[in-house]
């Protein structure tokens, strides 16, 4: 069921729910440049064992953009949603831009975290390969030239590449063009491109907190499941080792997909997630 709530900021947040509220809650947080649409193929299976909440983060999907843009403000918006839905203990799915939001929520209320599902999400510098060079230069020296380089992917072609760059041809052929076409359409809405630029700049503040995040993971040792698309050109495969070193009991699966793993491996991923949720 799709619903909307009005946030304290006066903007509206769109979100999907599925399953019975009496079941353990599972918060699904998508990445750039997508929306809750990312989870369309796994929600039916997940809703059998969990109360699924899949928001369109502010400035994405059908949600309004926020007037004050940062990952912390996005996390506050999602926390406000959880409060309005009276969600207590929860599992949190982290993907790409969803990681800064989900980890802030987790660290603010660690006793409410039932577990983490990590899918192509950075929380260590080890995962930042060559594709981050221009962005890191922008964080170090935020002048107009560096900003232009760091945001050069905010085009139709750059949006498409989030799905298929580095992915073997036979795997990429399974991804419908409508996925990136819909993302690009939404990015043209008023305020949404400004959202993307602001979050690219603010991601540097998230990176600066990596040591704090590592401390949280090592101290709290949340239950964790990793699902990783090995052909991701944005988050290096070495990132998986960092997660597993922090969480030595983490269950990890490296699959033959890309950054948007659920576009090609939804069935396998859903089965692994349902099993993880059932066992815990």
């Amino acid at each position: 069921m799709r619903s909307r709530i009005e946030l304290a900021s006066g903007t509206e947040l769109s979100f999907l729910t599925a399953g019975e509220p009496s079941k353990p809650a599972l918060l699904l947080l998508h990445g750039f440049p997508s929306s809750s649409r990312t989870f369309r193929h796994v929600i039916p299976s997940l809703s059998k064992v969990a109360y699924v909440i899949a928001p369109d983060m502010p400035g994405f999907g059908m949600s309004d953009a926020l007037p004050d843009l940062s990952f912390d403000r996005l996390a506050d918006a999602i926390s406000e949603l959880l409060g309005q839905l009276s969600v207590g203990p929860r599992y949190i799915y982290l993907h790409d831009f969803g990681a800064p939001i989900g980890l802030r929520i987790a660290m603010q209320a660690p006793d409410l975290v039932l577990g983490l599902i990590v899918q192509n999400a950075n929380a260590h510098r080890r995962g930042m390969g060559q594709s981050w060079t221009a962005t890191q230069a922008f964080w170090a020296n935020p002048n107009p030239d560096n900003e232009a380089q760091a945001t050069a992917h905010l085009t139709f072609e750059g949006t498409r590449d989030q799905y298929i760059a580095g992915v073997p041809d036979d795997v990429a052929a399974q991804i419908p063009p409508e996925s990136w076409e819909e993302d690009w359409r939404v990015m043209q809405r008023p305020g949404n491109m400004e959202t993307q630029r602001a979050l690219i700049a603010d991601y540097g503040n998230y990176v600066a907190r990596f040591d704090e995040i590592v401390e949280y993971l090592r101290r709290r040792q949340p239950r964790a499941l990793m699902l990783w698309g090995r052909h991701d050109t944005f988050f290096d495969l070495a990132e998986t080792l960092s997660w597993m070193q922090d969480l030595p009991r983490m269950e990890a699966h490296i699959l033959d997909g890309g950054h948007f793993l659920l576009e090609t491996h939804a069935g396998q991923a859903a089965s692994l997630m349902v099993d993880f949720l059932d066992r815990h």
Side-chain angles (χ1 to χ4, degrees), residues 108-160:
Q108 285 182 326
D111 291 338
L112 294 180
V113 177
L114 296 173
L116 302 176
I117 301 175
V118 178
Q119 191 254 296
N120 295 76
N122 270 4
H124 311 82
R125 291 173 180 82
R126 196 173 187 178
M128 304 177 72
Q130 292 184 350
S131 62
W132 290 86
T133 301
T135 307
Q136 290 171 320
F138 171 50
W139 296 335
N141 186 10
N143 61 47
D145 288 341
N146 284 343
E147 181 182 19
Q149 292 294 320
T151 59
H153 63 288
L154 297 179
T155 63
F156 175 79
E157 292 76 15
T159 303
R160 177 197 62 202

Side-chain angles (χ1 to χ4, degrees), residues 40-177:
R40 65 194 183 280
H41 296 311
V42 298
I43 286 177
S45 295
L46 295 173
S47 65
K48 296 175 182 177
V49 297
Y51 177 49
V52 178
I53 306 110
D56 291 347
M57 292 186 290
F60 295 80
M62 298 176 65
S63 291
D64 298 340
L66 290 177
D68 179 19
L69 258 300
S70 69
F71 284 106
D72 285 353
R73 298 291 76 75
L74 265 63
D76 291 344
I78 303 304
S79 292
E80 190 174 340
L81 168 65
L82 296 176
Q84 290 203 30
L85 295 177
S86 300
V87 173
R90 74 290 302 252
Y91 291 89
I92 305 176
Y93 186 108
L94 310 173
H95 175 226
D96 187 18
F97 272 7
I101 297 166
L103 286 169
R104 177 176 168 84
I105 291 170
M107 292 166 69
Q108 285 182 326
D111 291 338
L112 294 180
V113 177
L114 296 173
L116 302 176
I117 301 175
V118 178
Q119 191 254 296
N120 295 76
N122 270 4
H124 311 82
R125 291 173 180 82
R126 196 173 187 178
M128 304 177 72
Q130 292 184 350
S131 62
W132 290 86
T133 301
T135 307
Q136 290 171 320
F138 171 50
W139 296 335
N141 186 10
N143 61 47
D145 288 341
N146 284 343
E147 181 182 19
Q149 292 294 320
T151 59
H153 63 288
L154 297 179
T155 63
F156 175 79
E157 292 76 15
T159 303
R160 177 197 62 202
D161 286 349
Q162 304 294 317
Y163 287 85
I164 63 174
V167 178
D169 290 345
D170 61 321
V171 178
Q174 302 173 40
I175 304 175

